[in-house]
Amino acid sequence: MSQLLASAPCRPLVEARNILGEGPVWDDAEGCLWWVDIVGAELHRLRLADEAHDSWPMPERVAALALREEGGLVLALASGFARFNAATGAVVPYPERLPLRRGQRLNDGGCDHSGRFWCGAMREEGEEADAALHVLQPVGSLLEHPVGLRIINCVNWSPDGGAMYFSDTPAGIIYACDFDAATGRMGERRVFHDGKDVPGQPDGGTVDAEGCLWSARFGGGGVARFRPDGSLDGFLPLPAQKITCCAFGGPELRTLFITSATEGLSGEEKQAQPLAGRLMALEPGVAGRLPRRFAG
């Protein structure tokens, strides 16, 4: 696999440069990719068949999304969860409010095998390690799982749903824990990868059909692939420093879509990295898995 990673060519897809592109999700029913610009407070969609690109302004920062089984999307806005209808552009918040602490917002998220939408919080202000995992259940109620981290990213599951992954970006650590998909119960967390043999910090990511975890390396200029035992399989360098997330999609789920950011780059750095902030794609030689849909 390392040979494939080293030789996969990368191509840009959309002209727009996101400030903080994040959260790509493939919709196989519609043949399109969704993603967000957190700082720009925009939701984006790219249809592959005709390369049509649409975007919608959001009422506040939008950090993550999931497809709904009933159609439309569920969004993780900065302050809470909401439903989104692309036909009307309507954003309808769920009534129950999140117990976020001052200086926190929602961040990366994804759905488990039972259709719950999990989203990790993060600190935008302060240095406290007090962010939790927040769960929107299919009935619309909320659960909170305190994990004591600063910036939670890379919320993912193994193909069989028996392991859950999440990272603390500032610490550089990806964690894993046993997971009961039926009950949503998390086991004791353990270090999956400590970040010492790969550049950058662990941002968002995805799990492929072989059970390997792909980790976007913020500040590291690439994407790393980890085997199910946590060992590094390979590193894919990319033409942008701030790689934020990745997801498989396209025909046979063999395209890896990658988001990136321009936030914090100087004018000279932006000029030197013309693909920074762009949505990119490549074919790494392995297939991914369809994202789980929210069951509510």
Side-chain angles (χ1 to χ4, degrees), residues 7 86 137 144 190 214:
S7 61
Q137 300 188 100
E144 181 183 18
R190 58 188 180 273
W214 295 71

Side-chain angles (χ1 to χ4, degrees), residues 25-260:
V25 174
W26 174 251
D27 185 344
D28 62 311
E30 300 294 332
C32 64
L33 185 82
W34 296 90
W35 77 99
V36 302
D37 182 349
I38 298 178
V39 175
E42 287 184 327
L43 174 67
H44 292 266
R45 181 183 66 189
L46 174 67
R47 291 200 303 265
L48 288 198
D50 56 7
E51 298 185 353
H53 172 220
D54 301 293
S55 63
W56 293 263
M58 294 287 106
E60 58 180 304
R61 293 188 178 195
V62 55
L65 64 97
L67 307 173
R68 296 177 66 222
E69 289 184 356
E70 297 179 355
L73 305 177
V74 58
L75 305 176
L77 301 175
S79 63
F81 296 106
R83 294 184 296 273
F84 175 75
N85 184 320
T88 64
V91 178
V92 181
Y94 282 86
E96 188 172 346
R97 306 306 295 170
L98 286 175
L100 292 172
R101 295 165 179 81
R102 181 178 178 85
Q104 289 184 350
R105 67 163 171 83
L106 287 180
N107 197 39
D108 188 53
C111 288
D112 67 20
H113 286 53
S114 293
R116 308 176 192 88
F117 186 35
W118 294 66
C119 198
M122 65 163 282
R123 276 229 157 260
E124 289 196 306
E125 302 172 11
E127 301 294 324
E128 298 91 340
D130 57 1
L133 284 158
H134 300 273
V135 187
L136 177 63
Q137 300 188 100
V139 294
S141 59
L142 301 176
L143 293 175
E144 181 183 18
H145 293 266
V147 290
L149 305 179
R150 283 182 57 199
I151 298 179
I152 300 174
N153 266 305
C154 203
V155 180
N156 276 277
W157 287 264
S158 60
D160 65 0
M164 182 179 182
Y165 305 103
F166 53 94
S167 68
D168 187 6
T169 299
I173 298 173
I174 302 174
Y175 294 100
C177 67
D178 293 338
F179 187 79
D180 187 325
T183 64
R185 183 174 298 170
M186 301 170 61
E188 185 176 353
R189 80 169 182 244
R190 58 188 180 273
V191 174
F192 176 76
H193 191 270
D194 61 13
K196 292 180 180 178
D197 58 353
V198 63
Q201 298 171 306
D203 206 319
T206 190
V207 175
D208 65 26
E210 298 177 0
C212 292
L213 178 68
W214 295 71
S215 169
R217 310 301 296 186
F218 191 80
V223 178
R225 185 183 193 244
F226 298 104
R227 302 180 186 94
D229 64 1
S231 61
L232 178 66
D233 179 61
F235 180 77
L236 173 64
L238 294 166
Q241 179 187 10
K242 296 187 174 184
I243 304 300
T244 56
C245 198
C246 55
F248 283 93
E252 300 180 347
L253 301 175
R254 299 191 73 85
T255 299
L256 186 67
F257 296 99
I258 301 159
T259 54
S260 60

